[in-house]
Amino acid sequence: MGPQDILEINVGGVCYTTTIETLTSAKDSLLASYFCEENSSSCKLGKDSSGRWFLDRDGILFRYILDYLRNRRLILPENFSEISRLKLEAEYYRLPEMCKILETRTKPGILPSLSTMKKSSSMHDIKDKTGTITIGYRGTFFFGRDGLADVKFRKLCRILVCGKVNLCRSVFRETLNETRDADRGDYDRYSARFYLKHNFLEQAFDMLMDAGFELKAACGTGTSSQPHDGTQQNLNMASIAIKGVPQVLNQESEEGRWYHYNEFVWTKSH
């Protein structure tokens, strides 16, 4: 394999595409011993069903290992709380310089507890932060088979969060899911790619009120509980074109008829 050869690797179920040059850039690292041209020890690694080299390690944290190998710099998201786990991965891959960088982020063996993080990095810091956060959700009612259930429950697909990155992180803390956002620097930028790790609308509202936000506006779509003749085909065609809309809308079902989208605009001005 040459240094510019591209290969795919599977790390704990998460797949990455990179080059031999990147994987072997730290000469004394474990990855270099696996993939360097003079060493055939990569044969010791197993392969998955698609023929990718397989490493049984943390696939999510490997992104930071790969970034470090590419840039020789370590850029972590704001409020990153897995330093000890990342340091363990760096030790496994034999990256001593990366370990030293991580040691400067916190005292060895000591990480702030989640409750401490809430008080220090969220509640105190947010007192001086102002701005706007928009909450949106797609939802319907949960029905039994063929709509015969006696009790119908609210069914939310996902609670979306839009606003300034550092503001959203300060309000929603560990409940904010950032996996769809390219969390790299520029914390004053805006993002419409966050969502919450839970589907409790009231919990999201409580956290906004605790942070001093007020509800300023709301809007929502109507439902199609009784589509008129000739409009069902148009509804089906429109639903096909909307990315992320559940397939249930393509059917004349109870859940599809009650499907809707709502948004709530929360602001803090002082």
Side-chain angles (χ1 to χ4, degrees), residues 147-162:
L148 299 179
D150 293 332
V151 181
K152 302 168 181 61
F153 298 97
R154 183 178 65 185
K155 180 180 179 180
L156 301 188
C157 300
R158 181 173 287 179
I159 298 177
L160 310 176
V161 179
C162 308

Side-chain angles (χ1 to χ4, degrees), residues 122-247:
S122 299
M123 289 299 99
H124 292 303
D125 294 346
I126 201 172
K127 296 297 183 183
D128 299 323
K129 293 181 179 178
T130 61
T132 301
I133 293 178
T134 300
I135 301 295
Y137 78 87
R138 303 191 302 269
T140 180
F141 287 101
F142 180 77
F143 290 80
R145 181 174 296 180
D146 298 326
L148 299 179
D150 293 332
V151 181
K152 302 168 181 61
F153 298 97
R154 183 178 65 185
K155 180 180 179 180
L156 301 188
C157 300
R158 181 173 287 179
I159 298 177
L160 310 176
V161 179
C162 308
K164 188 175 287 189
V165 170
N166 58 359
L167 194 59
C168 293
R169 287 172 175 167
S170 297
V171 172
F172 296 108
R173 306 185 297 276
E174 73 280 358
T175 67
L176 188 67
N177 193 320
E178 304 182 39
T179 57
R180 299 294 182 182
D181 187 76
D183 57 3
R184 297 174 184 273
D186 297 328
Y187 299 117
D188 283 333
R189 63 186 172 86
Y190 290 82
S191 176
R193 299 178 66 85
F194 292 149
Y195 61 95
L196 298 182
K197 297 177 182 178
H198 59 80
N199 287 332
F200 301 107
L201 197 60
E202 292 76 16
Q203 181 179 348
F205 290 172
D206 285 345
M207 296 183 80
L208 283 159
M209 288 190 293
D210 287 344
F213 282 76
E214 295 180 350
L215 180 63
K216 293 296 185 180
C219 63
T221 63
T223 62
S224 300
S225 58
Q226 295 293 334
H228 298 289
D229 294 339
T231 62
Q232 183 64 41
Q233 183 177 1
N234 292 334
L235 174 62
N236 290 341
M237 293 301 294
S239 66
I240 293 173
I242 301 175
K243 183 177 180 182
V245 171
Q247 190 68 19

Side-chain angles (χ1 to χ4, degrees), residues 65-120:
I65 301 291
L66 206 55
D67 281 348
Y68 175 77
L69 292 174
R70 288 172 179 148
N71 307 310
R72 282 300 188 274
R73 295 178 60 199
L74 185 60
I75 302 176
L76 299 176
E78 189 178 11
N79 296 332
F80 184 76
S81 60
E82 297 188 285
I83 293 179
S84 59
R85 292 183 60 188
L86 182 56
K87 184 173 180 291
L88 184 64
E89 294 300 301
E91 290 171 350
Y92 174 81
Y93 290 113
R94 300 205 296 260
L95 298 169
E97 295 301 320
M98 182 176 178
C99 290
K100 290 179 181 178
I101 296 173
L102 289 169
E103 286 173 356
T104 64
R105 300 296 181 97
T106 185
K107 295 180 180 179
I110 300 177
L111 281 175
S113 65
L114 184 59
S115 59
T116 302
M117 288 175 61
K118 287 181 182 179
K119 293 178 182 178
S120 63

